[in-house]
């Protein structure tokens, strides 16, 4: 038996597949993915500490390219992302970025985020009948937040959305003629993004503000991020912070609509939003799988894993492991403790987790409170993708 997590049935209900894997073959070689699927909570947690598993996956691809290609410069930008580096490069980039994500700096963004959410929701509420909550609210919100955070002028915000799509397309690869054509267009768009971020960095170097880009320019001893590194960091924040947060808001809303008792519970006790968001991230979080390359011989639950192979850490399965969570398939907004790993663990654990939590809390609270008649208008379809748990559309009525 080989498991394909991108098969339509597995996308529709991955949790049934995960349950069977955890029970019968928790470290499973999937021919379909040409990768090991690790599905139990303890094994995934240990894997985050295992030095045989590397995040350094773009530079080896670049190194194998003999001729410079149209994609080389964009791949060069991706290769500078801390999420695809190992120590010591990772340690340095993460240290230089950490100051910009300090609690206080993020906490003060609450008011701005609430204003953005309310503006999007007011426009949504003007519409009648069935409308897509993803394209109108959950998708634009994080792109606007990132553009605002980096101090980009409001008029440029739409371009952030396009670049985010193009980054996803290039980072997740291509296939087929139509995709190849889109890929070429995406590369052109990303070159434009590169130039845009260089100009933004240049302006900010001359006049520091109180935005995140200015904070990323801070020195640490005698070290600081170069212009190219700052540009790569801007692109990474857009890539890592956009669709994840969109899916977090959309999946959370769908889970509440499917569990009216829990939706009523949240409406009756809005202060429950903190633990509620943690539970919604555990129950149906935005990331299904994280990728690692194997760089040294290792063993997990008796299976020998060799250099050159790939490992998929199945976060969404770990978060439903009955050995870690009581009644894991029950949505319980008051769950406590809730040690979910939707934001990963270890040295690469999400640096934007506080911001993501805040955006999801504000968006879900406002959706629930401003739309008392919220109801599903169309059965959603899950995308057949490996890494994320994502719907194309979430069509709802609000009255
Ligand atoms: C890393 C999840 C939102 C920035 C990660 C990782 C996970 C994750 C699982 C670990 C990747 C790995 O180990 O390979 C999420 C989820 C989000 C979210 C579920 C939304 C609900 C954000 C936001 C930002 C962000 C809003 C910033 C604007 C990053 C960065 C990394 C990262 C820069 C790389 C950290 C490193 O390599 O040290 N995220 N993320 N994320 N995330 Fe998030």
């Amino acid at each position: 038996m080989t498991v394909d997590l991108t098969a339509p049935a597995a996308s529709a209900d991955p949790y049934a597949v995960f349950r069977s894997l955890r029970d019968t073959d928790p470290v499973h070689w999937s021919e379909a993915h040409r990768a090991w699927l690790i599905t139990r909570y303890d094994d995934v947690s240990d894997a985050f500490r295992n030095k045989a598993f590397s995040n350094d996956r773009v530079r080896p691809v670049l190194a194998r390219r003999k001729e410079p290609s149209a994609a080389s410069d964009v791949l060069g930008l991706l290769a500078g992302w801390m999420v695809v580096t190992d120590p010591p490069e990772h340690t340095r980039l993460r240290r230089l970025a950490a100051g910009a994500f300090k609690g206080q700096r993020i906490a003060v963004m609450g008011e701005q985020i609430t204003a953005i959410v309310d503006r999007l929701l007011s426009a949504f509420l003007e519409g009648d009948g069935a409308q897509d909550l993803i394209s109108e609210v959950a998708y634009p919100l994080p792109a606007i937040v990132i553009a605002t955070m980096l101090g980009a002028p409001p008029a440029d915000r739409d371009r952030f959305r396009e670049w985010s799509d193009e980054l996803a397309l290039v980072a997740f690869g291509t296939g087929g003629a139509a995709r190849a054509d889109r890929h070429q267009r995406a590369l052109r768009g990303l070159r434009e993004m590169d130039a845009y971020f260089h100009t933004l960095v240049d302006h900010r170097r001359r006049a520091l503000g109180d935005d995140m880009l200015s904070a990323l320019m801070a020195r640490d001893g005698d070290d600081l991020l170069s212009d190219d590194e700052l540009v790569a960091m801007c692109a990474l924040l857009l890539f890592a912070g956009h669709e994840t947060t969109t899916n977090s808001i959309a999946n959370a809303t769908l889970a509440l609509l499917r569990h009216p008792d829990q939706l009523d519970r949240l409406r009756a006790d809005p202060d429950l939003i903190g633990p509620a968001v943690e539970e919604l991230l555990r129950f149906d979080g935005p990331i299904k799988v994280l990728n690692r390359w194997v760089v040294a011989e290792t063993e997990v639950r008796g299976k020998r894993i060799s250099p050159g192979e790939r490992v998929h850490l199945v976060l969404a399965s770990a978060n439903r492991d009955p050995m870690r969570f009581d009644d894991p398939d029950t949505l319980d907004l008051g769950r406590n403790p809730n040690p979910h790993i939707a934001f990963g663990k270890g040295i690469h654990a999400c640096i934007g987790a506080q911001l993501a939590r805040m955006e999801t809390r504000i968006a879900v609270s406002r959706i629930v409170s401003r739309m008392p008649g919220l109801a599903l208008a169309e059965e959603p379809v899950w995308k057949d993708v490996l890494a994320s748990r994502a719907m194309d559309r979430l069509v709802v009525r609000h009255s």
Side-chain angles (χ1 to χ4, degrees):
M1 175 199 70
T2 184
V3 166
D4 179 359
L5 295 178
T6 59
S11 297
D13 183 10
Y15 299 105
V17 180
F18 298 156
R19 193 177 311 123
S20 145
L21 281 174
R22 279 191 313 264
D23 289 349
T24 60
D25 194 12
V27 180
H28 169 78
W29 173 256
S30 160
E31 242 346 281
H33 297 295
R34 307 236 15 103
W36 294 96
L37 304 181
I38 301 188
T39 46
R40 285 199 190 160
Y41 185 96
D42 286 349
D43 295 341
V44 174
S45 297
D46 288 348
F48 282 116
R49 287 190 294 267
N50 190 337
K51 292 205 168 54
F53 299 147
S54 163
N55 273 43
D56 190 358
R57 28 183 215 271
V58 178
R59 249 171 303 191
V61 176
L62 261 182
R64 277 199 299 275
R65 283 177 188 253
K66 293 190 184 65
E67 303 285 325
S69 75
S72 298
D73 49 349
V74 174
L75 277 177
L77 177 85
L78 267 57
W81 287 0
M82 66 174 128
V83 73
V84 288
T85 58
D86 289 337
E89 290 87 349
H90 173 264
T91 321
R92 170 178 173 264
L93 292 171
R94 177 102 186 188
R95 181 167 37 79
L96 287 165
F101 283 91
K102 280 209 182 100
Q104 192 47 30
R105 165 170 292 283
I106 302 298
V108 296
M109 293 195 62
E111 264 177 46
Q112 264 176 312
I113 294 174
T114 306
I116 300 168
V117 168
D118 275 336
R119 195 161 31 76
L120 292 168
L121 278 179
S122 296
F124 189 82
L125 285 165
E126 275 170 25
D128 257 347
Q131 297 177 82
D132 179 13
L133 193 69
I134 293 184
S135 60
E136 303 307 310
V137 180
Y139 194 72
L141 170 68
I144 299 175
V145 169
I146 293 163
T148 311
M149 228 166 56
L150 292 174
D156 298 337
R157 285 169 181 170
D158 285 347
R159 299 164 80 189
F160 276 68
R161 272 199 247 180
E162 287 161 20
W163 294 330
S164 164
D165 287 347
E166 290 160 357
L167 279 169
L169 189 78
V170 171
F172 290 132
T174 53
R179 292 287 298 274
D181 180 50
R182 279 176 58 207
H183 193 257
Q184 283 308 317
R185 267 184 285 138
L187 289 175
R188 278 198 295 277
L190 292 181
R191 260 177 237 123
E192 191 189 299
M193 178 195 74
D194 190 70
Y196 179 92
F197 283 147
H198 268 289
T199 309
L200 198 65
V201 165
D202 198 44
H203 284 163
R204 208 50 43 75
R205 283 245 193 250
R206 279 183 263 152
L208 288 179
D210 60 1
D211 53 275
M212 183 169 275
L213 184 53
S214 302
L216 286 166
M217 289 176 176
R219 277 182 179 278
D220 182 68
D222 51 10
D223 196 8
L224 82 170
L225 292 171
S226 68
D227 284 6
D228 285 347
E229 287 171 335
L230 283 164
V231 167
M233 190 69 79
C234 292
L236 170 60
L237 297 184
L238 181 58
F239 173 75
H242 187 195
E243 276 198 43
T244 43
T245 313
T246 297
N247 296 332
S248 166
I249 296 165
N251 298 3
T253 307
L254 177 69
L256 289 171
L257 285 168
R258 292 229 193 274
H259 297 82
D261 60 322
Q262 296 299 307
L263 178 55
D264 288 347
R265 190 175 170 194
L266 183 57
R267 284 203 167 114
D269 179 8
D271 289 345
L272 194 62
I273 191 67
V277 163
E278 299 310 307
E279 175 66 347
L280 291 158
L281 282 163
R282 180 197 72 82
F283 186 77
D284 210 0
I287 298 186
K288 274 192 292 196
V289 165
L290 291 178
N291 233 316
R292 296 290 189 262
W293 285 104
V294 184
V295 290
E297 189 89 25
T298 188
E299 210 178 276
V300 181
R301 216 164 272 283
K303 298 275 175 78
R304 176 164 298 206
I305 299 185
S306 305
E309 293 180 336
R310 260 185 324 157
V311 165
H312 292 334
L313 309 179
V314 190
L315 297 189
S317 170
N319 281 335
R320 295 276 193 115
D321 187 342
M323 288 198 255
R324 195 70 185 89
F325 300 95
D326 293 337
D327 294 328
D329 297 324
T330 300
L331 179 73
D332 169 9
L333 298 189
R335 187 180 288 274
N336 181 22
N338 191 345
H340 72 77
I341 48 173
F343 290 112
K345 224 176 165 165
I347 60 168
H348 289 280
C350 182
I351 200 169
Q354 193 191 344
L355 177 65
R357 286 182 157 116
M358 191 158 74
E359 287 184 65
T360 310
R361 280 181 205 152
I362 295 172
V364 172
S365 312
R366 303 300 283 161
I367 288 170
V368 165
S369 65
R370 292 191 62 184
M371 297 198 255
L374 187 70
L376 208 53
E378 200 178 84
E379 202 46 41
V381 178
W382 294 97
K383 289 188 195 175
D384 295 331
V385 289
L386 174 68
S388 10
R389 176 81 172 139
M391 295 170 269
D392 272 320
R393 301 183 312 155
L394 180 60
V395 184
V396 297
R397 288 179 205 285
H398 56 79
S399 54

